[in-house]
Amino acid sequence: MLAALPAVAGDGPATWLGLPAVIVPADNPITPAKVELGKKLFMDRRLSPNGTMSCAMCHVPEQGFTVNELATPIGFEGKSLRRNAPTLLNVALQASFLRDGSKPTLEAQVWGPMLAPNEMANRSVDAVVARINGLADYRDLFALAFDGKRPCEVTIAQAIASYERTLLAGNSRFDRWYFGKQALVPFSGDVLTAQEQVGFAVFISSGCDVCHTLDENVAMFSDGLFHNTGAQRLKQQQASQTISVQLAPGVNVKIDPRELATVSEPEQSDDGRFEVSKNPEDRHAFKTPSLRNVALTAPYMHDGSLATLDDVIDFYSLDNAIDSDRSKLLKPTNFSMEEKRNLIAFLKSLTSDNVSELSGAARAAFHPFPNDGDGQ
């Protein structure tokens, strides 16, 4: 049984303009003590065997709770992951989790990264539980959050999931303009500019809202479904082309892909949703990401193969011939330079006004203890 998340200070995240209510499992109600414990666990590198990896290493608070510098994150002992780290902003509002939707709840999702050999690389749930039970600074926190209970598989997952449910980021300038009808904003600069309003019109007229949906009262800017955008096939086609590698901001070199392969891990195959559903129609299909705070969460696509919003718009202008199995919902649109600028301006208006507050709160959650390692 599920219960709606209360919008009461201290009892859970407030309701934000433009966002639907968060649904919380009845067996894991939000409490301030549980959220604070979850934040500490989220930031703590001691949850990995060698004290180097935390959840926040792949979901960096200051980078939109993702990783901006890398197409795919680097995990345990330098291992490259095959998928881009999705933002955790508004993750509580999703119906399924991970890019392939393989996890049905936030609680179920928690243990995947902690046990994956190339992520946090713990050998077992019991090993993590034993490590946390051995850390004196956690004993009172678990007892307070869970009525005297000690760390275990269930309470660890519930605490981290509770924290992740507080990462709500609505109330963007778009929300105040579209849902607030401008009436809630008494000063200039907090509503959409003429360019951003035109960009929203381009967004609708070009059919972006077919997958990045919005309703009369709320907008997730995602249908929560799985589509093959053709990104996988395009990357395969480009594998034989010269690759531009960034050495430093603004400094790039061209490298033959064969040379790069000699110092790189082998390319990992990824069939997307098919790996979960085994339905051939789901091959290379991935969950539609929300466009909220999209300006903060580069790079883009399931593999991080597109570096900028300009690149994404150019990609969606490509003909479906790049992949015969590409979703037929995608209609190539040859945007003019002005339309492209306007569309990007609109996308930037979807940035929420509390993201820096959320990232600051994450950092404040962890306090290193002598001889116990450090947090992210």
Side-chain angles (χ1 to χ4, degrees), residues 172-174 192 195-200 203 208 212 221 290-296 300 308-310 312-313 316 339-352:
S172 66
R173 287 190 301 107
F174 171 82
L192 294 201
Q195 181 185 32
E196 291 163 344
Q197 293 182 41
V198 171
F200 177 55
F203 178 83
C208 300
H212 297 285
F221 289 100
S290 172
L291 295 181
R292 287 188 172 277
N293 301 290
V294 69
L296 307 178
Y300 306 105
T308 68
L309 290 175
D310 291 78
V312 173
I313 294 174
Y316 282 117
E339 287 175 325
K340 188 174 175 179
R341 285 193 295 267
N342 294 340
L343 184 53
I344 290 175
F346 158 67
L347 292 174
K348 290 180 177 179
S349 78
L350 298 178
T351 300
S352 302

Side-chain angles (χ1 to χ4, degrees), residues 124-339:
S124 67
V125 170
D126 289 345
V128 179
V129 171
R131 191 177 311 122
I132 295 175
N133 270 305
L135 298 172
D137 50 293
Y138 274 112
R139 292 169 192 162
D140 290 344
L141 297 180
F142 271 90
L144 178 63
F146 292 101
D147 297 324
K149 293 180 182 178
R150 293 173 61 84
C152 68
E153 179 177 1
V154 173
T155 55
I156 292 168
Q158 288 183 335
I160 295 176
S162 293
Y163 167 59
E164 291 176 341
R165 288 193 175 97
T166 69
L167 299 178
L168 298 181
N171 201 40
S172 66
R173 287 190 301 107
F174 171 82
D175 293 315
R176 295 194 286 269
W177 172 73
Y178 190 77
F179 298 115
K181 310 300 182 185
Q182 303 186 23
L184 301 179
V185 188
F187 50 90
S188 62
D190 250 4
V191 296
L192 294 201
T193 65
Q195 181 185 32
E196 291 163 344
Q197 293 182 41
V198 171
F200 177 55
V202 172
F203 178 83
I204 298 298
S205 64
S206 60
C208 300
D209 62 322
V210 172
C211 296
H212 297 285
T213 54
L214 66 162
D215 299 322
E216 183 178 354
N217 298 311
V218 297
M220 277 305 296
F221 289 100
S222 170
D223 59 8
L225 303 178
F226 304 87
H227 305 284
N228 178 0
T229 64
Q232 192 94 331
R233 186 63 56 83
L234 181 65
K235 187 175 181 180
Q236 292 169 356
Q237 292 176 358
Q238 294 174 337
S240 61
Q241 301 173 7
T242 300
I243 299 171
S244 178
V245 176
Q246 178 176 283
L247 301 180
V251 181
N252 293 65
V253 295
K254 300 290 187 180
I255 296 179
D256 187 295
R258 292 169 295 184
E259 291 183 47
L260 193 60
T262 65
V263 295
S264 302
E265 295 180 16
E267 187 73 23
Q268 301 178 63
S269 63
D270 195 341
D271 283 330
R273 180 66 176 172
F274 171 77
E275 296 179 5
V276 179
S277 70
K278 305 306 179 186
N279 182 347
E281 294 182 359
D282 287 336
R283 196 177 299 277
H284 298 164
F286 295 87
K287 186 168 60 176
T288 305
S290 172
L291 295 181
R292 287 188 172 277
N293 301 290
V294 69
L296 307 178
T297 58
Y300 306 105
M301 314 310 282
H302 73 277
D303 55 2
S305 57
L306 301 179
T308 68
L309 290 175
D310 291 78
D311 293 338
V312 173
I313 294 174
D314 288 342
F315 168 76
Y316 282 117
S317 298
L318 296 175
D319 190 87
N320 279 25
I322 63 171
D323 187 343
S324 60
D325 294 325
R326 190 186 197 193
S327 173
K328 300 304 184 286
L329 294 174
L330 299 175
K331 307 298 182 185
T333 302
N334 293 317
F335 295 102
S336 67
M337 287 303 297
E338 182 177 7
E339 287 175 325

